[in-house]
Amino acid sequence: MRFTWIALTAWFAGCSQATDTLDGAPRAARELARADTVAAADFDGDGVDELILVTDGVARWDGGELDLGGGLMATARDDRGGDGREVLFLGTGATRDQREAPARVWRVDAGGGLLAWEQQGARNQVTDLRVTDDGVWVAAFIDASHVAGGWLVDGAREPLVREKFATRQLPLGPEHAAVGRIYGDQPKSDGDLRVMGKGITPRTLPTLRGVRSLASADLNKDGEPELLVGDGWHFAYGKQAVARLRLLEGPDWSEGRTIASFDGEYTIREIIPVGDRLVAVGTRSVHLLERDALGWSDTVLAPIEETGQAVVIQEAGGTSVLISGDPARVVPLP
């Protein structure tokens, strides 16, 4: 992506960790233009991601631009075609500056963007967006407190899940999902994580308070994916919330362990598996978790704004993290 580079800040000069490219030259952190939110996808299948910067509701990338008509809230990459040419789905909705924006899902590829789904209601926010072999899963508020989630088919969504504050939803097949709630049924009560769907009784998994992030990865290569849960949310988040990352072991996720608890953070907003490593996006920093002799080590990759966003990207020289802000930044993974 062609952006004008800005001189690196003192933080990058003193704290960033350069990594070697294939020709031995170091990959240094670099700065881009301002971005409220960010996304990425490999539209042409060349192995290098297009970087997408979203500013004031407009997404821009090298050779493309799309007015989203709202704030970017969720992203999901789609390579179900298997040819390396990815499609990007963007979930957008109402923000403080765009209060009348509908909830939408955009489909973006090398040719531009198309509106794939739209909903107008009391609270127009997309809370989660996933792509699996079964399709595109959309979770969005349907009133002030309830979130519905289900598969997107021909521009419509038939909800499979409808729960209060179920803002995180991870499909576990065509008819079931892991559903994380930030709050329970009563105001300010603790949230939870449950497996639910057609033909089964909802089953509660072991977590702490509310769930703010959710991912899945087969980290131990046994064919049974683990659930990765960012829990510990509390309505008095500034004083009582805990930024905890919990690993629940497959196949039934009834047992697990805490692999990280980040001091100075009050939640984990995204968990991104990268091979056998994990990128965790907090409220102050972006963290890289790696296995070591004592369990998991934590490397702080870069600071992030409290409402900022980060995505993992593939560059010609290796894997990096794209972080929103003024300016946006690209930080190589060690």
Side-chain angles (χ1 to χ4, degrees), residues 14-39:
C15 300
S16 64
Q17 199 169 14
T19 59
D20 290 341
T21 60
L22 294 178
D23 61 5
R27 291 199 302 138
R30 65 186 190 273
E31 297 181 348
L32 307 176
R34 169 189 158 224
D36 303 324
T37 49
V38 293

PDB file of all heavy atoms in Angstrom, residues 14-39:
ATOM      1  N   GLY A  14      13.116   4.015  20.385  1.00  0.00           N
ATOM      2  CA  GLY A  14      13.695   3.462  21.594  1.00  0.00           C
ATOM      3  C   GLY A  14      13.189   2.100  21.971  1.00  0.00           C
ATOM      4  O   GLY A  14      13.877   1.347  22.642  1.00  0.00           O
ATOM      5  N   CYS A  15      11.959   1.727  21.554  1.00  0.00           N
ATOM      6  CA  CYS A  15      11.326   0.532  22.095  1.00  0.00           C
ATOM      7  C   CYS A  15      10.930  -0.503  21.068  1.00  0.00           C
ATOM      8  O   CYS A  15      10.694  -1.647  21.422  1.00  0.00           O
ATOM      9  CB  CYS A  15      10.073   0.928  22.891  1.00  0.00           C
ATOM     10  SG  CYS A  15      10.433   2.034  24.274  1.00  0.00           S
ATOM     11  N   SER A  16      10.791  -0.155  19.802  1.00  0.00           N
ATOM     12  CA  SER A  16      10.322  -1.140  18.835  1.00  0.00           C
ATOM     13  C   SER A  16      11.410  -2.171  18.577  1.00  0.00           C
ATOM     14  O   SER A  16      12.594  -1.907  18.701  1.00  0.00           O
ATOM     15  CB  SER A  16       9.916  -0.467  17.534  1.00  0.00           C
ATOM     16  OG  SER A  16      11.021   0.136  16.916  1.00  0.00           O
ATOM     17  N   GLN A  17      10.976  -3.382  18.204  1.00  0.00           N
ATOM     18  CA  GLN A  17      11.893  -4.481  18.012  1.00  0.00           C
ATOM     19  C   GLN A  17      11.901  -4.850  16.541  1.00  0.00           C
ATOM     20  O   GLN A  17      10.950  -5.425  16.028  1.00  0.00           O
ATOM     21  CB  GLN A  17      11.454  -5.668  18.870  1.00  0.00           C
ATOM     22  CG  GLN A  17      12.537  -6.687  19.101  1.00  0.00           C
ATOM     23  CD  GLN A  17      12.118  -7.681  20.151  1.00  0.00           C
ATOM     24  OE1 GLN A  17      10.950  -7.771  20.518  1.00  0.00           O
ATOM     25  NE2 GLN A  17      13.072  -8.419  20.646  1.00  0.00           N
ATOM     26  N   ALA A  18      12.992  -4.520  15.848  1.00  0.00           N
ATOM     27  CA  ALA A  18      13.077  -4.819  14.428  1.00  0.00           C
ATOM     28  C   ALA A  18      13.271  -6.315  14.219  1.00  0.00           C
ATOM     29  O   ALA A  18      13.844  -7.012  15.047  1.00  0.00           O
ATOM     30  CB  ALA A  18      14.233  -4.051  13.799  1.00  0.00           C
ATOM     31  N   THR A  19      12.770  -6.837  13.094  1.00  0.00           N
ATOM     32  CA  THR A  19      12.963  -8.232  12.740  1.00  0.00           C
ATOM     33  C   THR A  19      13.580  -8.303  11.356  1.00  0.00           C
ATOM     34  O   THR A  19      13.430  -7.407  10.540  1.00  0.00           O
ATOM     35  CB  THR A  19      11.627  -8.985  12.751  1.00  0.00           C
ATOM     36  OG1 THR A  19      10.755  -8.359  11.811  1.00  0.00           O
ATOM     37  CG2 THR A  19      10.993  -8.933  14.122  1.00  0.00           C
ATOM     38  N   ASP A  20      14.294  -9.383  11.080  1.00  0.00           N
ATOM     39  CA  ASP A  20      15.016  -9.506   9.820  1.00  0.00           C
ATOM     40  C   ASP A  20      14.099  -9.923   8.693  1.00  0.00           C
ATOM     41  O   ASP A  20      13.198 -10.734   8.859  1.00  0.00           O
ATOM     42  CB  ASP A  20      16.143 -10.531   9.952  1.00  0.00           C
ATOM     43  CG  ASP A  20      17.268 -10.026  10.830  1.00  0.00           C
ATOM     44  OD1 ASP A  20      17.345  -8.803  11.016  1.00  0.00           O
ATOM     45  OD2 ASP A  20      18.053 -10.850  11.328  1.00  0.00           O
ATOM     46  N   THR A  21      14.332  -9.370   7.509  1.00  0.00           N
ATOM     47  CA  THR A  21      13.662  -9.828   6.291  1.00  0.00           C
ATOM     48  C   THR A  21      14.468 -10.985   5.711  1.00  0.00           C
ATOM     49  O   THR A  21      15.517 -11.375   6.238  1.00  0.00           O
ATOM     50  CB  THR A  21      13.557  -8.690   5.273  1.00  0.00           C
ATOM     51  OG1 THR A  21      14.875  -8.249   4.939  1.00  0.00           O
ATOM     52  CG2 THR A  21      12.779  -7.518   5.853  1.00  0.00           C
ATOM     53  N   LEU A  22      13.985 -11.532   4.610  1.00  0.00           N
ATOM     54  CA  LEU A  22      14.671 -12.659   3.999  1.00  0.00           C
ATOM     55  C   LEU A  22      16.069 -12.291   3.527  1.00  0.00           C
ATOM     56  O   LEU A  22      16.961 -13.136   3.477  1.00  0.00           O
ATOM     57  CB  LEU A  22      13.841 -13.189   2.823  1.00  0.00           C
ATOM     58  CG  LEU A  22      12.487 -13.813   3.207  1.00  0.00           C
ATOM     59  CD1 LEU A  22      11.744 -14.241   1.941  1.00  0.00           C
ATOM     60  CD2 LEU A  22      12.679 -15.005   4.131  1.00  0.00           C
ATOM     61  N   ASP A  23      16.301 -11.015   3.157  1.00  0.00           N
ATOM     62  CA  ASP A  23      17.628 -10.619   2.695  1.00  0.00           C
ATOM     63  C   ASP A  23      18.502 -10.103   3.836  1.00  0.00           C
ATOM     64  O   ASP A  23      19.591  -9.594   3.599  1.00  0.00           O
ATOM     65  CB  ASP A  23      17.523  -9.554   1.593  1.00  0.00           C
ATOM     66  CG  ASP A  23      16.830  -8.288   2.076  1.00  0.00           C
ATOM     67  OD1 ASP A  23      16.501  -8.190   3.287  1.00  0.00           O
ATOM     68  OD2 ASP A  23      16.620  -7.386   1.246  1.00  0.00           O
ATOM     69  N   GLY A  24      18.033 -10.232   5.069  1.00  0.00           N
ATOM     70  CA  GLY A  24      18.833  -9.854   6.222  1.00  0.00           C
ATOM     71  C   GLY A  24      18.625  -8.445   6.700  1.00  0.00           C
ATOM     72  O   GLY A  24      19.115  -8.077   7.770  1.00  0.00           O
ATOM     73  N   ALA A  25      17.916  -7.612   5.936  1.00  0.00           N
ATOM     74  CA  ALA A  25      17.696  -6.228   6.355  1.00  0.00           C
ATOM     75  C   ALA A  25      16.625  -6.187   7.447  1.00  0.00           C
ATOM     76  O   ALA A  25      15.662  -6.954   7.416  1.00  0.00           O
ATOM     77  CB  ALA A  25      17.256  -5.392   5.163  1.00  0.00           C
ATOM     78  N   PRO A  26      16.787  -5.312   8.434  1.00  0.00           N
ATOM     79  CA  PRO A  26      15.805  -5.266   9.519  1.00  0.00           C
ATOM     80  C   PRO A  26      14.478  -4.667   9.061  1.00  0.00           C
ATOM     81  O   PRO A  26      14.446  -3.762   8.228  1.00  0.00           O
ATOM     82  CB  PRO A  26      16.485  -4.373  10.549  1.00  0.00           C
ATOM     83  CG  PRO A  26      17.415  -3.507   9.756  1.00  0.00           C
ATOM     84  CD  PRO A  26      17.880  -4.363   8.617  1.00  0.00           C
ATOM     85  N   ARG A  27      13.388  -5.193   9.598  1.00  0.00           N
ATOM     86  CA  ARG A  27      12.056  -4.619   9.383  1.00  0.00           C
ATOM     87  C   ARG A  27      11.746  -3.738  10.581  1.00  0.00           C
ATOM     88  O   ARG A  27      11.641  -4.218  11.701  1.00  0.00           O
ATOM     89  CB  ARG A  27      10.994  -5.708   9.260  1.00  0.00           C
ATOM     90  CG  ARG A  27      11.096  -6.536   8.005  1.00  0.00           C
ATOM     91  CD  ARG A  27       9.784  -7.250   7.733  1.00  0.00           C
ATOM     92  NE  ARG A  27       9.393  -8.099   8.833  1.00  0.00           N
ATOM     93  CZ  ARG A  27       8.153  -8.196   9.297  1.00  0.00           C
ATOM     94  NH1 ARG A  27       7.184  -7.467   8.786  1.00  0.00           N
ATOM     95  NH2 ARG A  27       7.861  -9.019  10.285  1.00  0.00           N
ATOM     96  N   ALA A  28      11.595  -2.473  10.341  1.00  0.00           N
ATOM     97  CA  ALA A  28      11.339  -1.540  11.428  1.00  0.00           C
ATOM     98  C   ALA A  28       9.878  -1.132  11.438  1.00  0.00           C
ATOM     99  O   ALA A  28       9.190  -1.162  10.411  1.00  0.00           O
ATOM    100  CB  ALA A  28      12.225  -0.299  11.282  1.00  0.00           C
ATOM    101  N   ALA A  29       9.392  -0.757  12.614  1.00  0.00           N
ATOM    102  CA  ALA A  29       8.050  -0.194  12.708  1.00  0.00           C
ATOM    103  C   ALA A  29       7.992   1.092  11.896  1.00  0.00           C
ATOM    104  O   ALA A  29       8.979   1.812  11.758  1.00  0.00           O
ATOM    105  CB  ALA A  29       7.713   0.078  14.171  1.00  0.00           C
ATOM    106  N   ARG A  30       6.825   1.352  11.325  1.00  0.00           N
ATOM    107  CA  ARG A  30       6.687   2.559  10.525  1.00  0.00           C
ATOM    108  C   ARG A  30       5.298   3.161  10.732  1.00  0.00           C
ATOM    109  O   ARG A  30       4.381   2.480  11.205  1.00  0.00           O
ATOM    110  CB  ARG A  30       6.911   2.265   9.041  1.00  0.00           C
ATOM    111  CG  ARG A  30       5.867   1.350   8.401  1.00  0.00           C
ATOM    112  CD  ARG A  30       6.282   1.008   6.980  1.00  0.00           C
ATOM    113  NE  ARG A  30       5.224   0.342   6.230  1.00  0.00           N
ATOM    114  CZ  ARG A  30       5.006  -0.947   6.224  1.00  0.00           C
ATOM    115  NH1 ARG A  30       5.767  -1.743   6.960  1.00  0.00           N
ATOM    116  NH2 ARG A  30       4.024  -1.463   5.498  1.00  0.00           N
ATOM    117  N   GLU A  31       5.160   4.401  10.370  1.00  0.00           N
ATOM    118  CA  GLU A  31       3.920   5.135  10.554  1.00  0.00           C
ATOM    119  C   GLU A  31       3.262   5.428   9.210  1.00  0.00           C
ATOM    120  O   GLU A  31       3.933   5.642   8.200  1.00  0.00           O
ATOM    121  CB  GLU A  31       4.191   6.435  11.311  1.00  0.00           C
ATOM    122  CG  GLU A  31       4.729   6.183  12.719  1.00  0.00           C
ATOM    123  CD  GLU A  31       4.964   7.471  13.481  1.00  0.00           C
ATOM    124  OE1 GLU A  31       4.925   8.554  12.852  1.00  0.00           O
ATOM    125  OE2 GLU A  31       5.191   7.406  14.694  1.00  0.00           O
ATOM    126  N   LEU A  32       1.929   5.436   9.222  1.00  0.00           N
ATOM    127  CA  LEU A  32       1.128   5.712   8.037  1.00  0.00           C
ATOM    128  C   LEU A  32       0.280   6.943   8.311  1.00  0.00           C
ATOM    129  O   LEU A  32       0.530   7.692   9.254  1.00  0.00           O
ATOM    130  CB  LEU A  32       0.259   4.503   7.700  1.00  0.00           C
ATOM    131  CG  LEU A  32       0.974   3.154   7.569  1.00  0.00           C
ATOM    132  CD1 LEU A  32      -0.041   2.051   7.341  1.00  0.00           C
ATOM    133  CD2 LEU A  32       1.993   3.181   6.443  1.00  0.00           C
ATOM    134  N   ALA A  33      -0.737   7.151   7.505  1.00  0.00           N
ATOM    135  CA  ALA A  33      -1.664   8.255   7.727  1.00  0.00           C
ATOM    136  C   ALA A  33      -2.572   7.949   8.920  1.00  0.00           C
ATOM    137  O   ALA A  33      -2.586   6.835   9.452  1.00  0.00           O
ATOM    138  CB  ALA A  33      -2.495   8.487   6.468  1.00  0.00           C
ATOM    139  N   ARG A  34      -3.344   8.921   9.316  1.00  0.00           N
ATOM    140  CA  ARG A  34      -4.305   8.743  10.406  1.00  0.00           C
ATOM    141  C   ARG A  34      -5.378   7.723  10.018  1.00  0.00           C
ATOM    142  O   ARG A  34      -5.811   7.654   8.871  1.00  0.00           O
ATOM    143  CB  ARG A  34      -4.973  10.079  10.715  1.00  0.00           C
ATOM    144  CG  ARG A  34      -6.173   9.963  11.656  1.00  0.00           C
ATOM    145  CD  ARG A  34      -6.933  11.275  11.758  1.00  0.00           C
ATOM    146  NE  ARG A  34      -8.297  11.023  12.213  1.00  0.00           N
ATOM    147  CZ  ARG A  34      -9.381  11.587  11.706  1.00  0.00           C
ATOM    148  NH1 ARG A  34      -9.266  12.437  10.709  1.00  0.00           N
ATOM    149  NH2 ARG A  34     -10.570  11.300  12.165  1.00  0.00           N
ATOM    150  N   ALA A  35      -5.804   6.908  11.003  1.00  0.00           N
ATOM    151  CA  ALA A  35      -6.898   5.963  10.774  1.00  0.00           C
ATOM    152  C   ALA A  35      -7.680   5.791  12.066  1.00  0.00           C
ATOM    153  O   ALA A  35      -7.097   5.502  13.115  1.00  0.00           O
ATOM    154  CB  ALA A  35      -6.371   4.620  10.293  1.00  0.00           C
ATOM    155  N   ASP A  36      -9.006   5.967  11.990  1.00  0.00           N
ATOM    156  CA  ASP A  36      -9.858   5.694  13.150  1.00  0.00           C
ATOM    157  C   ASP A  36      -9.923   4.204  13.429  1.00  0.00           C
ATOM    158  O   ASP A  36      -9.928   3.772  14.582  1.00  0.00           O
ATOM    159  CB  ASP A  36     -11.276   6.222  12.906  1.00  0.00           C
ATOM    160  CG  ASP A  36     -11.296   7.709  12.600  1.00  0.00           C
ATOM    161  OD1 ASP A  36     -10.488   8.456  13.185  1.00  0.00           O
ATOM    162  OD2 ASP A  36     -12.121   8.126  11.758  1.00  0.00           O
ATOM    163  N   THR A  37     -10.019   3.411  12.365  1.00  0.00           N
ATOM    164  CA  THR A  37     -10.017   1.958  12.439  1.00  0.00           C
ATOM    165  C   THR A  37      -9.266   1.406  11.234  1.00  0.00           C
ATOM    166  O   THR A  37      -8.984   2.136  10.281  1.00  0.00           O
ATOM    167  CB  THR A  37     -11.459   1.386  12.454  1.00  0.00           C
ATOM    168  OG1 THR A  37     -12.208   1.987  11.385  1.00  0.00           O
ATOM    169  CG2 THR A  37     -12.150   1.671  13.773  1.00  0.00           C
ATOM    170  N   VAL A  38      -8.957   0.109  11.275  1.00  0.00           N
ATOM    171  CA  VAL A  38      -8.136  -0.483  10.217  1.00  0.00           C
ATOM    172  C   VAL A  38      -8.664  -1.868   9.850  1.00  0.00           C
ATOM    173  O   VAL A  38      -9.404  -2.498  10.609  1.00  0.00           O
ATOM    174  CB  VAL A  38      -6.655  -0.597  10.653  1.00  0.00           C
ATOM    175  CG1 VAL A  38      -6.034   0.771  10.814  1.00  0.00           C
ATOM    176  CG2 VAL A  38      -6.530  -1.411  11.944  1.00  0.00           C
ATOM    177  N   ALA A  39      -8.268  -2.338   8.682  1.00  0.00           N
ATOM    178  CA  ALA A  39      -8.584  -3.685   8.216  1.00  0.00           C
ATOM    179  C   ALA A  39      -7.516  -4.074   7.214  1.00  0.00           C
ATOM    180  O   ALA A  39      -6.676  -3.257   6.818  1.00  0.00           O
ATOM    181  CB  ALA A  39      -9.979  -3.742   7.603  1.00  0.00           C
TER     182      ALA A  39
END
